Amino acid sequence: MKTKLIVLLLLLLSINSNAQQTLTLEDCYTLVDKNYPLSKQAALLQQKSSYEIDALSKGKLPKIDVNAQATYQSEVIGLPATLPGVQSLNKDQYRATLDVNQLLYNGGTIDANSKLKEAQTKTQQQQIEVSLYQLKTRINQYFFSVLLLQEKTALLLSKKESLTTKIKEVKSGVQFGAILPSSEQVLEAEIIKINQQLTEIKFENNKLLNNLSKLTFSEIDTETTLIQPISYSINTNVTRPEIAFYDLQKDQLEFSKNVISKSILPKINAFGQAGYGNPGLNMLDNSFQTFYIVGLKANWNVFDWGKTKTDKKALDISKDLVTTEKETFELNNKMQLEEQDYEIKKIEQLLLSDSEIIQIREKVIKSSDAQLKNGVITTSEYLVEFTNLFEAKNILKIHQVQLAAAKSNYEIIRGK
């Protein structure tokens, strides 16, 4: 019983190790979003923004400075006459102070700058989304190219298998004198040609899989089977990340205008100073004294020669530029969608005729097969019709993959 269990486990492990890995187009998209180096920047930008906003908020906290100085001056203030109890000032003077400044009001400049920083971060993060989204076109190129090679390989192997079977039949015909001996060699030469095609496909497939592996930062080998997408949602609702990027740019410019408006409002600070020095605030007392000063300070630039107004006009023009860029993108995107829609409809029509051609070719090859067995036609003539049939099947597979690629590209143009 124990031996049977061991054998069963080994069999299961063997089946699992030999199981063929599959890969979908959505898997590739997910791998790029997860592993591509650029995708890591979004989190880094958010972290950077948090630090910068935190640094801006520190401006609301008191500013504390410690100052100390010792000086010697060539002349000091003196009185024209000597007064009782009043001493002349020393030329060497000493002072140490603790200065505190507290922002009371600045028109909301700090909050406005914080919101601007948040808007800038969102815009930069959306730019990353745009760049990552554009990688989907490259993924599609590699994915559907590999998919097409898979279909061609399957057809060539099927063709090779059919020819191998036909060679056995031809050998039998040669033995009975119904078919010329050279007929077998013609078919064998065709098999060699198929092997050459399979070799070309193998190296091209390896190259494309290598590119796809590097782009997705994953291990995709020749044992991986790519699954052709079958579900699509064809509609004209555009949800491209570029649209959101343009809108975020306009929001950022609006926040910049708000910062400019806040910058011209009055600023009020409370300040205090505590110190110890010789002399103190009483210049007539030539001794070390403690002292303090408290007060309020207001600053208001009431006239800036129209600079604020000019800066706002420049930002308005920048918003108009972004609007024109967005409109241009939407126009080009609409044209691309229409072109891709025509491409899809064209391939769908071709597929209908592909099926009809294959049906006719299959009838022709049946007739040619019977004629070959009866020695009516040569192997070369049979091979022409045989090749025509597989060429028709190959074109059908090409159009099927092209249709899947066209629909997938349509979704990318629209914005999935």
Side-chain angles (χ1 to χ4, degrees):
M1 183 66 180
K2 186 175 181 181
T3 304
K4 290 182 178 180
L5 286 173
I6 294 174
V7 172
L8 182 60
L9 286 172
L10 289 174
L11 181 61
L12 289 173
L13 288 173
S14 176
I15 293 173
N16 185 57
S17 62
N18 293 326
Q20 203 168 36
Q21 182 184 357
T22 59
L23 185 71
T24 66
L25 189 58
E26 289 295 332
D27 291 336
C28 293
Y29 294 157
T30 302
L31 287 170
V32 168
D33 289 339
K34 179 182 177 182
N35 299 327
Y36 202 72
L38 191 63
S39 63
K40 301 174 184 177
Q41 288 190 6
L44 292 174
L45 284 171
Q46 188 60 54
Q47 188 177 7
K48 176 174 174 284
S49 176
S50 297
Y51 285 131
E52 290 174 337
I53 292 174
D54 185 56
L56 285 171
S57 66
K58 302 295 185 184
K60 296 180 180 180
L61 301 177
K63 181 182 178 182
I64 302 174
D65 295 313
V66 175
N67 301 292
Q69 70 175 25
T71 63
Y72 182 88
Q73 53 196 67
S74 60
E75 194 67 38
V76 294
I77 297 174
L79 297 175
T82 302
L83 298 177
V86 177
Q87 300 177 350
S88 298
L89 290 176
N90 295 330
K91 291 184 177 182
D92 56 324
Q93 299 182 4
Y94 308 91
R95 172 171 290 204
T97 60
L98 176 68
D99 297 280
V100 179
N101 280 277
Q102 173 63 59
L103 177 66
L104 299 180
Y105 177 77
N106 70 343
T109 302
I110 291 176
D111 291 335
N113 275 296
S114 296
K115 290 180 180 179
L116 174 59
K117 179 57 63 179
E118 290 176 354
Q120 290 172 338
T121 301
K122 289 180 181 178
T123 303
Q124 291 171 336
Q125 289 176 326
Q126 190 62 28
Q127 177 65 69
I128 293 172
E129 289 297 320
V130 170
S131 299
L132 289 173
Y133 190 85
Q134 291 171 348
L135 289 174
K136 289 186 175 182
T137 302
R138 290 176 61 188
I139 292 174
N140 275 20
Q141 179 185 350
Y142 295 140
F143 187 90
F144 286 104
S145 294
V146 173
L147 199 59
L148 186 58
L149 291 179
Q150 284 185 180
E151 297 292 349
K152 286 184 176 181
T153 299
L155 275 174
L156 285 172
L157 290 174
S158 175
K159 183 179 180 182
K160 182 179 178 180
E161 183 180 355
S162 297
L163 285 176
T164 302
T165 302
K166 182 57 63 178
I167 287 176
K168 293 178 181 178
E169 295 177 3
V170 168
K171 283 182 178 180
S172 177
V174 170
Q175 289 177 355
F176 291 101
I179 301 176
L180 295 173
S182 60
S183 300
E184 180 183 347
Q185 296 174 349
V186 171
L187 296 178
E188 288 176 346
E190 185 64 20
I191 288 180
I192 294 173
K193 183 179 176 181
I194 291 174
N195 288 333
Q196 287 181 327
Q197 292 174 326
L198 288 171
T199 299
E200 290 178 354
I201 289 175
K202 175 184 176 182
F203 282 96
E204 182 66 19
N205 187 61
N206 288 343
K207 182 184 74 174
L208 291 171
L209 287 176
N210 181 57
N211 291 338
L212 194 59
S213 296
K214 289 182 177 179
L215 194 59
T216 58
F217 286 80
S218 59
E219 191 64 33
I220 305 174
D221 54 30
T222 54
E223 298 300 318
T224 303
T225 301
L226 274 59
I227 306 300
Q228 181 170 309
I230 56 175
S231 61
Y232 298 93
S233 55
I234 302 298
N235 61 67
T236 56
N237 295 326
V238 178
T239 56
R240 286 287 291 264
E242 289 88 344
I243 302 298
F245 174 66
Y246 292 129
D247 292 337
L248 287 170
Q249 279 186 309
K250 293 170 71 173
D251 291 342
Q252 180 181 325
L253 291 169
E254 195 61 38
F255 280 116
S256 295
K257 285 179 65 177
N258 188 42
V259 170
I260 292 174
S261 299
K262 300 289 186 183
S263 66
I264 62 173
L265 295 177
K267 298 175 179 59
I268 301 175
N269 288 274
F271 65 90
Q273 184 183 73
Y276 181 73
N278 181 7
L281 297 181
N282 184 0
M283 300 296 293
L284 298 180
D285 187 349
N286 191 19
S287 63
F288 282 91
Q289 309 165 37
T290 58
F291 60 88
Y292 70 90
I293 301 173
V294 294
L296 295 174
K297 180 181 179 181
N299 176 267
W300 189 8
N301 183 11
V302 295
F303 187 69
D304 64 353
W305 304 96
K307 180 180 181 301
T308 299
K309 187 177 181 181
T310 302
D311 288 340
K312 286 184 176 181
K313 286 182 177 179
L315 290 174
D316 285 332
I317 293 175
S318 295
K319 287 181 67 176
D320 291 338
L321 288 172
V322 173
T323 299
T324 57
E325 289 178 4
K326 180 181 177 181
E327 291 172 350
T328 302
F329 175 82
E330 289 176 331
L331 176 62
N332 291 333
N333 188 259
K334 183 179 179 181
M335 292 174 62
Q336 287 179 323
L337 281 175
E338 291 174 351
E339 290 175 357
Q340 200 65 27
D341 186 53
Y342 285 128
E343 182 69 15
I344 291 171
K345 291 177 180 176
K346 180 191 76 174
I347 298 173
E348 287 175 340
Q349 288 295 316
L350 292 174
L351 280 169
L352 293 176
S353 57
D354 285 338
S355 299
E356 294 176 2
I357 292 172
I358 290 174
Q359 290 177 1
I360 294 172
R361 291 295 182 190
E362 285 176 340
K363 291 178 182 179
V364 171
I365 198 64
K366 281 184 180 180
S367 175
S368 298
D369 185 56
Q371 290 175 341
L372 177 63
K373 289 179 180 178
N374 295 320
V376 178
I377 61 173
T378 64
T379 307
S380 297
E381 291 172 318
Y382 169 83
L383 191 57
V384 170
E385 297 303 332
F386 182 81
T387 302
N388 287 338
L389 172 60
F390 273 89
E391 183 61 26
K393 290 182 177 180
N394 185 50
I395 291 174
L396 172 66
K397 290 297 183 182
I398 289 174
H399 286 158
Q400 287 175 342
V401 174
Q402 285 179 341
L403 180 61
K407 289 182 176 180
S408 180
N409 288 333
Y410 184 96
E411 286 194 332
I412 290 177
I413 295 171
R414 180 183 62 82
K416 296 183 67 174

